[in-house]
Amino acid sequence: MTHPSIRREHRANRRALRATLRRRTAATRATQRAVRAVATGRPQPVRTRLVAAGLDDATAKRFAPAFSRGLVADDSRETRIKLRGRVRKTVAVKLYAARTFAARLATYRPKDVVFAARFEALAVAA
């Protein structure tokens, strides 16, 4: 019979592996969704365009507001967001065409050196 601490450790290890697999699957699906959305040719939100360009979703979410600040949107749409409880709110989402996005990507660099290098690599690849 195995020792209880060994079984606990095994379960914890399996749980960690499942969580890693879930995160990788979610990242892959987010990237595929963004690439499909951008391929339609219609204006898309900055976050979608950043994910399709090659950033991970968390980084794209972090830098999307600063990236689009001061940039004139090509289009906009309304979407509903969930607030606390069952409350929902309708907000405007700015949409950007490929040309507008590429022009901003060529000039935008965050202050953080690591992320600035990642944005520069995206600009070179685009």
Side-chain angles (χ1 to χ4, degrees):
M1 188 164 158
T2 60
H3 197 270
S5 66
I6 294 173
R7 274 184 284 169
R8 247 191 324 270
E9 188 177 318
H10 179 71
R11 280 196 308 265
N13 187 35
R14 297 298 301 166
R15 201 168 34 247
L17 290 172
R18 283 194 308 271
T20 301
L21 189 59
R22 271 195 311 274
R23 277 193 302 274
R24 285 182 186 168
T25 304
T28 301
R29 286 180 181 159
T31 303
Q32 289 172 341
R33 214 173 22 253
V35 168
R36 277 196 309 269
V38 168
T40 63
R42 291 185 301 217
Q44 297 294 326
V46 169
R47 181 176 170 185
T48 302
R49 289 206 177 269
L50 288 172
V51 170
L55 277 183
D56 60 293
D57 193 46
T59 305
K61 183 178 182 179
R62 176 180 171 188
F63 286 103
F67 187 92
S68 61
R69 193 171 297 129
L71 197 58
V72 177
D74 295 313
D75 198 5
S76 67
R77 70 169 186 231
E78 288 189 347
T79 189
R80 290 169 57 92
I81 60 169
K82 184 181 176 300
L83 301 175
R84 286 191 189 160
R86 294 183 181 185
V87 180
R88 296 191 180 273
K89 181 180 179 182
T90 303
V91 295
V93 177
K94 296 182 203 172
L95 304 176
Y96 300 94
R99 182 175 286 159
T100 308
F101 175 75
R104 179 65 172 154
L105 186 59
T107 60
Y108 178 75
R109 296 295 176 270
K111 289 181 182 177
D112 189 317
V113 179
V114 175
F115 290 112
R118 289 175 72 180
F119 273 90
E120 188 171 347
L122 285 179
V124 169

